[in-house]
Amino acid sequence: MPSSIARQSIEQLGGEASILARQRRDHEELDRLMRRYDADPHPPEERQQILKDIIQFTFAHAFAEETVLWPALRRLHPDGDALTSRVEQEHQEINVLVAAIERTDPAYPRHRELTSRAFDVIRQDIRDEEDLLLPRLQEALGNDRARLRSLGTAWETVRRTAPTHPHPSVPRRPPGNALAGLPLSLYDRARDTTSARRGAKVAIVLTAVLAAWLLRAAIRHRS
C-alpha cells in the first residue's frame, strides 16, 4: 500500500488536479483554520466567524467525500466497506457535536468543550483518511492520473454545491444523502448569506420546500 498522502509529493499524488492533492489541500486549510481559532486572541465576533468558516468548510468537504469518494472506494477495494464505515462514524459524530455547538451560547464553557471535542474528531478523521483510506484508493486506481483527475473534478463539483451545516439525521451514504443534498444545500446557503431576520424567513420557506421535495423523492423511489 502507498504511504500516507501527507508524505507524498504532488507528482506522486497524481498532480494538482488529482483527488488526492485536492483532499490534502482541503485538510491543510482546515487544520490552519482550527489552529487559528485555538491560538489567536481574536475578538468574540471574529472568533465566531472563524468557527463558522470551519463548520461550512468541514461539511461541504465531508458531503463530497460521502457522495463521490467513499462509494468509489467501496467499488474498487475489497476492504472499502469497512474502511468507509469507520470514517462515516467519525462524520456522524462530527455532525452531532457541531449541531450541539450551534445550539450552545458561545459564552458558555460547554461551547468551548464541544468545539474542542469536534476539532479532535476532525483531526482524527483527517489522519484516518490520509493514512488509510486515500492510500487504499490510490492503490486501487494504480496511480491512474486520468481517473484521479476525474474523481477530483467530480468531488470538487459536489463540494461547491454541498450542504454547509450539520444534518445528523441524513444518511451518510447514497442514495439518501444525494437525495437530500440539493434542498439541504439551498437551506444552508440561505442561512449563510442572509441577515438573521431574513435568514429565519428564508429558512421557514425552505424547510417547507425541503419537506415537500423529500416526500416526492421518497414516493418516486418506492414506485
Side-chain angles (χ1 to χ4, degrees):
M1 185 183 74
S3 64
S4 169
I5 69 163
R7 296 190 292 273
Q8 296 186 48
S9 68
I10 292 295
E11 181 64 23
Q12 287 174 309
L13 295 177
E16 294 285 352
S18 160
I19 182 57
L20 304 174
R22 291 175 191 263
Q23 283 281 103
R24 189 170 73 183
R25 282 197 300 272
D26 260 25
H27 291 166
E28 289 169 349
E29 175 61 11
L30 190 52
D31 182 65
R32 184 191 70 80
L33 287 169
M34 290 189 293
R35 285 188 285 106
R36 184 182 174 202
Y37 179 91
D38 284 336
D40 293 352
H42 299 288
E45 296 81 5
E46 187 176 349
R47 188 176 177 83
Q48 282 306 109
Q49 183 58 54
I50 297 170
L51 182 58
K52 288 179 182 178
D53 291 343
I54 292 169
I55 289 170
Q56 292 168 18
F57 198 100
T58 296
F59 286 101
H61 175 96
F63 184 87
E65 289 177 338
E66 293 168 356
T67 306
V68 176
L69 288 195
W70 305 155
L73 183 57
R74 287 193 289 272
R75 289 194 305 270
L76 294 167
H77 200 283
D79 295 332
D81 190 70
L83 289 165
T84 56
S85 291
R86 175 171 175 167
V87 295
E88 285 164 348
Q89 290 171 5
E90 291 168 349
H91 286 190
Q92 181 64 13
E93 185 175 0
I94 294 166
N95 264 265
V96 172
L97 286 166
V98 175
I101 289 168
E102 292 189 334
R103 295 192 303 267
T104 305
D105 190 317
Y108 290 179
R110 176 67 173 158
H111 186 276
R112 188 69 188 91
E113 293 169 7
L114 289 166
T115 302
S116 179
R117 174 58 184 158
F119 285 6
D120 286 345
V121 181
I122 291 170
R123 289 185 172 109
Q124 181 61 53
D125 183 67
I126 289 172
R127 286 193 295 272
D128 287 340
E129 290 175 6
E130 293 195 348
D131 296 348
L132 297 173
L133 273 76
L134 293 171
R136 290 309 207 300
L137 181 64
Q138 184 180 28
E139 179 184 45
L141 290 173
N143 288 315
D144 185 327
R145 295 173 72 93
R147 293 179 75 184
L148 287 168
R149 288 195 302 270
S150 177
L151 265 180
T153 299
W155 174 85
E156 182 68 26
T157 300
V158 172
R159 187 177 77 93
R160 289 181 180 275
T161 58
T164 56
H165 287 273
H167 299 283
S169 62
V170 173
R172 305 265 67 84
R173 294 190 177 191
N177 63 345
L179 284 172
L182 177 60
L184 288 175
S185 179
L186 292 171
Y187 176 85
D188 286 350
R189 290 168 191 269
R191 292 170 60 193
D192 295 339
T193 59
T194 58
S195 67
R197 181 176 295 178
R198 186 179 170 204
K201 292 179 180 178
V202 172
I204 291 170
V205 172
L206 286 177
T207 298
V209 172
L210 170 61
W213 191 91
L214 288 174
L215 178 59
R216 289 198 298 271
I219 291 171
R220 287 199 302 269
H221 182 68
R222 291 176 182 174
S223 61

